[in-house]
Amino acid sequence: PTPPEERNAATVYREDCAFCHDGPQASAPTREDFGRMRPETVIRAMDGVMAAQAVAITPEQRADLARYLTGAS
């Protein structure tokens, strides 16, 4: 794993999210799905239903990841 201080949005996604969101988990939104969402929706999921999976992701990384996934700048 990448040291926490070096984890950018792409690294966080690859290390913590891609297994399910790019993989066999049918109920998980895909990268394409994220592109149709707002960053706030993604953050709300990480703070809510995905909280256990997102426990190692800092608030700043969550915001960066949400912008990365949704294409927001």
Side-chain angles (χ1 to χ4, degrees), residues 27-62:
S27 61
T30 65
R31 291 290 303 271
E32 184 178 314
D33 295 332
F34 287 125
R36 293 187 295 269
M37 294 180 186
R38 297 182 54 172
E40 297 82 9
T41 303
V42 177
I43 292 170
R44 192 169 43 252
M46 286 187 277
D47 291 342
V49 298
M50 297 300 298
Q53 293 82 357
V55 71
I57 304 172
T58 68
E60 181 179 271
Q61 289 169 330
R62 290 176 191 213

